[in-house]
Amino acid sequence: MNPIVEFCVNNLISGSQEAFEKLEKDPDLDVIEYGCTSHCGICAASLFAIVNGECITADSSGELVDKIYQHLEDNPLF
């Protein structure tokens, strides 16, 4: 089972598209895009993704990717 990384389409438009595209190329991740993730306050304030149910935020796409990989390293599925 791969880790699941979920993105809100509105946040992709706001700047997380680059992170989405980079993570989508990783065969060890399941990257999913939703119309809305119901995290509107977070979505309006920063870039974010939901990683295995936990919200990860950042100020840039590069930082978001780094934080996602760090979260996965700190919180392995198995």
Side-chain angles (χ1 to χ4, degrees):
M1 183 170 131
N2 289 336
I4 298 171
V5 182
E6 302 165 283
F7 285 87
C8 173
V9 69
N10 292 317
N11 203 255
L12 293 174
I13 294 167
S14 296
S16 63
Q17 180 72 36
E18 186 178 314
F20 177 88
E21 290 172 359
K22 184 171 184 173
L23 295 168
E24 190 176 42
K25 293 176 184 175
D26 187 332
D28 295 324
L29 298 175
D30 290 334
V31 181
I32 303 168
E33 172 187 329
Y34 290 107
C36 180
T37 60
S38 298
H39 289 81
C40 301
I42 295 169
C43 188
S46 65
L47 303 183
F48 84 102
I50 301 168
V51 181
N52 294 328
E54 296 230 14
C55 192
I56 308 297
T57 63
D59 294 325
S60 70
S61 278
E63 180 185 13
L64 184 59
V65 169
D66 292 344
K67 284 185 165 184
I68 289 170
Y69 279 119
Q70 185 62 53
H71 177 79
L72 292 171
E73 187 175 313
D74 294 344
N75 302 282
L77 287 177
F78 304 110

